[in-house]
Amino acid sequence: MLTSKADLPSIPSKRYFTISEVGELTGVKPHVLRYWEQEFSQLRQVKRRGNRRYYQHHEVLLVRRIRALLYDDGFTIQGARQRLGMGSEGERPITAQEVRAELESILEWLDSGIGKK
């Protein structure tokens, strides 16, 4: 599996890409792509001939962006969805690391207060 943005191959200039081609171009397995189609409304593939999925160039770029948000930047699905849909006045999504740090601080607070009654 590809590990960074630099490892990704360049996107050929063609109109449509199959799900396996998108997987190779983005480093994301086809079953993950199908799941992301349900989670990200911006990701809309075209279905043709026998219900096969075809993606356009801008959708390949979007899959790369989603992959970077989830795998490299540590966003949750909801956070990545918010980041992609965020306008100029939207709130900044929370990363998984920020959620963990907040939960750890709550645990410390609970641990420090439990034995003081």
Side-chain angles (χ1 to χ4, degrees), residues 44-110:
R44 297 184 189 127
Q45 84 290 349
V46 175
K47 288 192 179 180
R48 294 176 139 185
R49 286 183 262 151
N51 219 14
R52 293 186 62 180
R53 289 172 165 82
Y54 291 94
Y55 298 83
Q56 294 182 23
H57 188 272
H58 68 276
E59 290 156 337
V60 177
L61 294 174
L62 178 60
V63 169
R64 284 186 173 186
R65 178 72 179 128
I66 293 169
R67 180 188 183 279
L69 288 170
L70 296 175
Y71 298 166
D72 300 337
D73 299 339
F75 283 90
T76 62
I77 294 275
Q78 183 179 356
R81 201 181 303 129
Q82 288 174 351
R83 172 61 66 103
L84 290 172
M86 188 170 81
S88 59
E89 60 215 52
E91 293 181 11
R92 184 179 69 82
I94 299 172
T95 65
Q97 290 87 356
E98 291 171 326
V99 170
R100 182 183 180 126
E102 181 68 20
L103 290 173
E104 287 173 349
S105 70
I106 291 170
L107 281 173
E108 288 175 21
W109 176 76
L110 287 172

